[in-house]
């Protein structure tokens, strides 16, 4: 752990920012020798000024190059001597296992260079996107890693590393059950990080274009199914993503996918929707499986094929993906 920290910490930065509402803190890390630094979108959102502080003591103003509110990622650039830039290596988050030891490094509460140790607690979690639909509901951010490595305010945007010193996630958020005596969010041992493979897919577009175009289905589905819901809906199996609603005119609607329409004895739950059980031949146990696969492997304009169960019949439905509006 000492060797890992000494190797990696020069590439981890502290971020200080100011907005019309005050000042704040975040973290980030260097990804190349061209001065590109990854952090969270919510760290740089609506900032008036942005400072990047290196472990060596070097400081520079940061310029926002690209933002991705869907996965809560951003890229900023700095103009510093090349020797200050120690790029971190992106690992393959698909190989990360629950129970695997991980290390988080960042700037919690302004304590720069803080390192914490934990394990991967879960894979394939879903968080709300920081971008909303026209109706005001949030899009979904998928392929999120859950960890119990301590993450606190100020850690946002810092790296989550495996024991080889490779970045497997970008620390994003914590699940909190209250606040501390000083009014900050209280850590409950449940933290979330954007997977490195999401970052790997998004990063080139953020640098080149300033944004990333996410594939869009235009449907809402239940992520997991309880026995009560399965029995109420009359579903033929216990796993899959049950479609509750489709956006009129959206890709799913145009492909003929159906949401529920028949009232049930559970308020707000409607029967008759399609149950997605596979995507491009890959089994779907929960909606998070579908979302992770689509985000990591598909782009707008691509065709994705769902295997669904409808009225007891198995069907293959190809959908041409759109762009998130």
């Amino acid at each position: 752990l000492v060797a890992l920290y000494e190797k990696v910490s020069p590439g981890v930065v502290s971020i200080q920012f100011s907005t019309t509402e005050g000042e704040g803190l975040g973290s980030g890390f260097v990804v190349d020798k061209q001065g590109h630094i990854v952090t969270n979108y919510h760290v740089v959102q609506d900032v008036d000024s942005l400072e990047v502080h290196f472990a060596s003591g070097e400081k520079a103003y940061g310029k926002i190059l690209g933002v991705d509110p869907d996965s809560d990622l951003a890229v900023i650039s700095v103009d510093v001597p090349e020797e200050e830039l120690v790029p971190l290596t992106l690992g393959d988050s698909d190989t990360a296992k629950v129970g695997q030891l991980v290390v988080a490094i960042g700037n919690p509460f302004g304590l720069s260079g803080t390192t914490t140790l934990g394990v991967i607690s879960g894979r394939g979690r879903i968080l709300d996107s920081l971008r909303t639909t026209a109706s005001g509901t949030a899009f979904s951010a998928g392929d999120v890693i859950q960890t119990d490595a301590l993450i606190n305010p100020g850690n946002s945007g810092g790296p989550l590393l495996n024991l080889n010193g490779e970045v497997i996630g970008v620390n994003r958020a914590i699940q909190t059950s209250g606040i501390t005596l000083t009014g900050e969010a209280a850590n409950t041992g449940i933290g979330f990080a954007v997977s490195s493979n999401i970052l790997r897919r998004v990063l080139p577009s953020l640098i080149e274009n300033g944004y990333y175009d996410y594939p869009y289905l235009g449907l809402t589905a239940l992520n997991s199914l309880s026995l009560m819901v399965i029995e109420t809906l009359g579903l033929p199996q216990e796993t899959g993503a049950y479609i509750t609603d489709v956006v009129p005119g959206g890709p799913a609607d145009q492909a003929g996918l159906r949401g529920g329409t028949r009232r049930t004895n559970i308020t707000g739950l409607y029967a008759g929707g399609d149950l997605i059980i596979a995507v491009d031949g890959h089994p779907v146990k929960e909606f998070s499986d579908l979302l992770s696969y689509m985000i990591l492997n598909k782009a707008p304009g691509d065709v994705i094929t769902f295997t669904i169960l409808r009225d007891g019949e198995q069907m293959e439905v190809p959908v041409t993906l759109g762009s998130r509006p």
Side-chain angles (χ1 to χ4, degrees):
L1 292 176
V2 173
L4 184 155
Y5 182 80
E6 291 177 347
K7 171 188 173 183
V8 171
S9 61
V12 181
V13 301
S14 299
I15 296 175
Q16 296 185 11
F17 60 86
S18 63
T19 69
T20 55
E21 298 180 354
E23 298 178 342
L25 301 167
S27 304
F29 57 94
V30 180
V31 290
D32 58 30
K33 283 288 191 178
Q34 285 70 54
H36 295 128
I37 290 171
V38 166
T39 186
N40 283 142
Y41 166 66
H42 77 259
V43 170
V44 302
Q45 185 180 11
D46 300 325
V47 300
D48 297 318
S49 68
L50 194 63
E51 292 185 22
V52 177
H53 296 188
F54 289 79
S56 66
E58 180 81 18
K59 297 178 177 64
Y61 287 108
K63 176 184 177 183
I64 302 170
L65 285 186
V67 298
D68 173 20
D70 284 293
S71 288
D72 195 12
L73 293 171
V75 175
I76 59 181
S77 65
V78 291
D79 184 10
V80 297
E82 187 174 319
E83 59 268 23
E84 293 290 342
L85 298 169
V86 181
L88 302 194
T89 301
L90 293 185
D92 181 0
S93 54
D94 283 352
T95 65
K97 305 293 185 183
V98 174
Q100 176 182 330
L101 287 170
V102 287
V103 172
I105 303 178
N107 183 36
F109 303 108
L111 300 170
S112 60
T114 293
T115 183
T116 54
L117 176 68
V119 298
I120 294 176
S121 306
R123 293 287 315 278
R125 304 303 193 201
I126 295 177
L127 294 179
D128 283 346
S129 163
L130 298 182
R131 192 154 62 95
T132 57
T133 67
S135 63
T137 58
F139 286 104
S140 296
D143 204 45
V144 175
I145 296 171
Q146 179 187 336
T147 180
D148 70 349
L150 290 178
I151 297 171
N152 286 289
N155 270 114
S156 293
L160 186 69
L161 306 134
N162 61 24
L163 294 191
N164 294 326
E166 299 168 329
V167 177
I168 59 169
V170 183
N171 297 319
R172 173 182 169 179
I174 59 174
Q175 183 77 39
T176 180
S177 60
I179 59 174
T180 65
L181 292 175
T182 56
E184 300 285 355
N187 187 297
T188 58
I190 299 179
F192 299 103
V194 183
S195 76
S196 61
N197 284 357
I198 291 286
L199 172 61
R200 192 191 303 276
R201 192 167 178 85
V202 167
L203 182 59
S205 183
L206 292 188
I207 293 174
E208 183 176 351
N209 304 316
Y211 65 93
Y212 181 75
D213 200 6
Y214 270 83
Y216 174 62
L217 275 173
L219 61 78
T220 303
L222 298 179
N223 185 46
S224 59
L225 304 170
S226 68
L227 287 174
M228 180 181 294
V229 167
I230 291 167
E231 292 168 0
T232 300
L233 294 174
L235 299 179
Q237 66 178 56
E238 298 172 350
T239 58
Y242 176 75
I243 301 176
T244 58
D245 191 30
V246 295
V247 177
D253 185 35
Q254 292 180 23
L257 290 173
R258 300 178 184 174
T261 56
R262 300 195 305 270
R263 289 183 181 274
T264 68
N265 57 11
I266 298 179
T267 302
L269 182 66
Y270 293 84
D274 294 330
L275 181 69
I276 301 172
I277 61 171
V279 52
D280 286 347
H282 301 275
V284 171
K285 292 184 178 180
E286 298 181 335
F287 179 62
S288 58
D289 298 329
L290 183 163
L291 189 64
S292 292
Y293 173 83
M294 182 180 71
I295 292 174
L296 288 171
N297 296 281
K298 297 293 183 177
D302 289 348
V303 174
I304 191 169
T305 301
F306 293 120
T307 304
I308 67 167
L309 296 177
R310 176 186 295 170
D311 299 329
E313 180 183 355
Q314 182 170 311
M315 305 169 58
E316 303 287 320
V317 179
V319 180
T320 301
L321 296 169
S323 298
R324 285 188 175 180

